[in-house]
Amino acid sequence: MADKIAPHKKAVRVKKKPLVAMFGPDLGLKGGISFVVLEYLKAGLHRKMPFIFIPTTTEGSRIKNALFFLKCIIITLRTMMRSRVDICHLHVSHYGSFYRKWVIFRIAKIFRCKVMVHIHGSNFERFMTENSFNRWMTRTVFNRADRVIVLSDEWKAGIEKFADKSHVVKLFNPAPRPRWVDVDHTRSALNILFLGRLSTRKGVYDLLECIGARRAFYEELGVRFTIAGDGDVDAVRAIVNRDGLNAIVNVPGWISGKVKERYLSNADIYVLPSYHEQLPMSILEAMAYGLPIVSTWVAGIPELVEDGVNGHLVDPGDIDGLGNALRTLVMSKEKRLSMGRESRQRVAGIFDAEKMITRELTALYERL
């Protein structure tokens, strides 16, 4: 009796996941790009597909950074020659960040890699248009990139003027998952928190003017402000001392890790009266902790904060409007709680890092 022959099965080809090389600042550096990449890693991007991260800059002097970038180029060339890198994901801001990524962009094209250019930096538009050399470089990159990632609808409309519309995609920054630390349930003070670079651009001097003009109101109701971040720390402390605000304003400088988590855990309101932004990570953090937001009608902020729903928005530089928005929330615990719940729900539904990576980022990679 003849042996039974197994029926022929057509071979099924399994599509190999692309190897992604991501480029950005050293993950120990302060700033939004490092924060975004860390959230990608915490959410497991490196476990969902082949992944390499290559830092292009670090903390230190210009000479140290020049040597660091030279090392980055060597690592990039060695990686390209030894591995089949399919996609280079470049996190780009303005000036030095862009110039460094320009070099990586050229190397990637020589090795025929797909390139995704991910734009960060509130001053990128000014950088892009301030001289003919920058205009030429940015337009060349946008036109030759396989995808250009932007953080807001406003930026999408702007970049589409210089690039193939089908190549420009919006991808929100991911929100961190909150970790409540040392919550003080016995406190009587109402805490208002600012996190970010202490600078004119972030509106920190407008906030100080607003506090000074309403000092008696805040003192009477036990309101306390924490203005935390790097930048003009000494200048901000000097204004606090000059205007006699020490009793209601704390300026701890840069905070991170558990210290930052403690401040977020014990905050009641988050304020960021910025003049220029893209999609502030600090607002996403505050929303994840269930805080109502007071901010401005700038760039991607209205896509995070719906005025009257999970916070209040004012025009940049409108100090009276800023004061009125803060007063409304200070005077109504019900509004603070309801807007805070809305903030948390928005983060869970739209900005959750794990969902974003699974639903959007890996899909972008696999479609290239």
Side-chain angles (χ1 to χ4, degrees):
M1 185 176 177
D3 293 336
K4 288 184 177 180
I5 300 174
H8 173 71
K9 292 184 179 180
K10 187 177 180 180
V12 177
R13 296 186 67 182
V14 178
K15 186 177 179 180
K16 180 175 74 75
K17 290 188 175 182
L19 172 58
V20 177
M22 183 177 285
F23 297 82
D26 184 87
L27 298 182
L29 284 178
K30 305 168 186 175
I33 297 179
S34 300
F35 197 104
V36 168
V37 177
L38 282 169
E39 289 304 314
Y40 286 159
L41 297 177
K42 287 178 187 176
L45 175 61
H46 56 301
R47 293 190 294 271
K48 295 182 186 297
M49 59 200 324
F51 179 89
I52 303 165
F53 180 74
I54 302 176
T56 58
T57 187
T58 189
E59 194 165 11
S61 66
R62 289 186 179 182
I63 294 175
K64 181 180 179 181
N65 265 289
L67 294 173
F68 189 89
F69 184 58
L70 180 60
K71 180 181 176 182
C72 164
I73 292 173
I74 294 169
I75 292 171
T76 300
L77 290 169
R78 189 171 61 201
T79 302
M80 296 288 187
M81 289 186 284
R82 291 182 178 179
S83 308
R84 175 53 187 152
V85 175
D86 299 291
I87 300 169
C88 287
H89 184 160
L90 313 182
H91 289 279
V92 171
S93 185
H94 40 69
Y95 300 104
S97 173
F98 188 87
Y99 299 142
R100 287 188 293 272
K101 303 316 180 328
W102 166 263
V103 176
I104 304 300
F105 179 86
R106 303 289 296 187
I107 293 172
K109 285 301 181 180
I110 289 171
F111 284 89
R112 299 183 180 180
C113 298
K114 301 286 187 180
V115 179
M116 293 173 60
V117 177
H118 197 151
I119 302 174
H120 305 263
S122 58
N123 288 322
F124 192 85
E125 184 177 14
R126 186 177 70 182
F127 162 77
M128 188 170 65
T129 58
E130 75 176 4
N131 59 56
S132 58
F133 180 66
N134 287 356
R135 283 194 294 272
W136 171 76
M137 289 184 76
T138 51
R139 290 188 185 208
T140 300
V141 168
F142 294 157
N143 284 320
R144 295 193 61 196
D146 298 279
R147 289 292 183 274
V148 179
I149 300 176
V150 296
L151 305 179
S152 67
D153 286 329
E154 181 181 82
W155 265 93
K156 188 173 187 294
I159 297 300
E160 283 176 346
K161 297 174 184 176
F162 308 103
D164 184 336
K165 289 185 178 182
S166 65
H167 289 179
V168 183
V169 296
K170 182 179 75 172
L171 180 67
F172 286 128
N173 284 335
R177 294 196 171 177
R179 293 179 58 197
W180 279 272
V181 174
D182 298 337
V183 180
D184 183 1
H185 296 288
T186 65
R187 64 184 170 84
S188 58
L190 190 149
N191 295 327
I192 300 177
L193 179 63
F194 170 103
L195 293 173
R197 188 166 184 82
L198 276 51
S199 64
T200 300
R201 178 176 71 81
K202 291 286 187 179
V204 72
Y205 297 107
D206 291 348
L207 179 58
L208 288 168
E209 185 175 341
C210 173
I211 297 168
R214 294 160 179 81
R215 180 176 63 181
F217 168 74
Y218 293 130
E219 287 177 340
E220 181 181 352
L221 293 180
V223 177
R224 299 292 180 266
F225 289 84
T226 296
I227 300 177
D230 59 352
D232 301 343
V233 178
D234 291 340
V236 169
R237 286 174 176 163
I239 292 172
V240 170
N241 289 327
R242 182 196 70 193
D243 294 346
L245 301 176
N246 303 78
I248 58 172
V249 179
N250 173 35
V251 187
W254 177 263
I255 58 174
S256 60
K258 287 188 176 180
V259 175
K260 181 168 72 170
E261 290 165 0
R262 185 181 305 115
Y263 277 106
L264 284 162
S265 299
N266 288 285
D268 298 286
I269 300 167
Y270 183 76
V271 59
L272 186 73
S274 287
Y275 284 77
H276 302 286
E277 289 287 354
Q278 280 216 39
L279 197 79
M281 285 300 299
S282 65
I283 288 183
L284 281 171
E285 280 186 280
M287 288 172 63
Y289 278 82
L291 298 181
I293 311 298
V294 174
S295 193
T296 51
W297 296 95
V298 169
I301 292 176
E303 295 177 54
L304 303 178
V305 182
E306 186 176 351
D307 187 40
V309 177
N310 69 313
H312 292 293
L313 297 177
V314 301
D315 291 328
D318 182 0
I319 295 168
D320 286 337
L322 176 63
N324 291 336
L326 289 172
R327 181 186 177 89
T328 298
L329 289 174
V330 166
M331 296 299 291
S332 175
K333 182 176 181 180
E334 183 182 351
K335 281 190 176 182
R336 293 197 303 271
L337 293 177
S338 64
M339 288 183 171
R341 283 193 295 270
E342 180 66 28
S343 283
R344 193 180 301 118
Q345 289 168 6
R346 285 177 177 233
V347 163
I350 302 172
F351 302 100
D352 179 77
E354 196 165 327
K355 292 178 184 176
M356 187 176 292
I357 285 172
T358 302
R359 183 178 62 228
E360 298 182 56
L361 186 57
T362 55
L364 274 175
Y365 290 150
E366 290 171 356
R367 284 199 297 267
L368 280 181

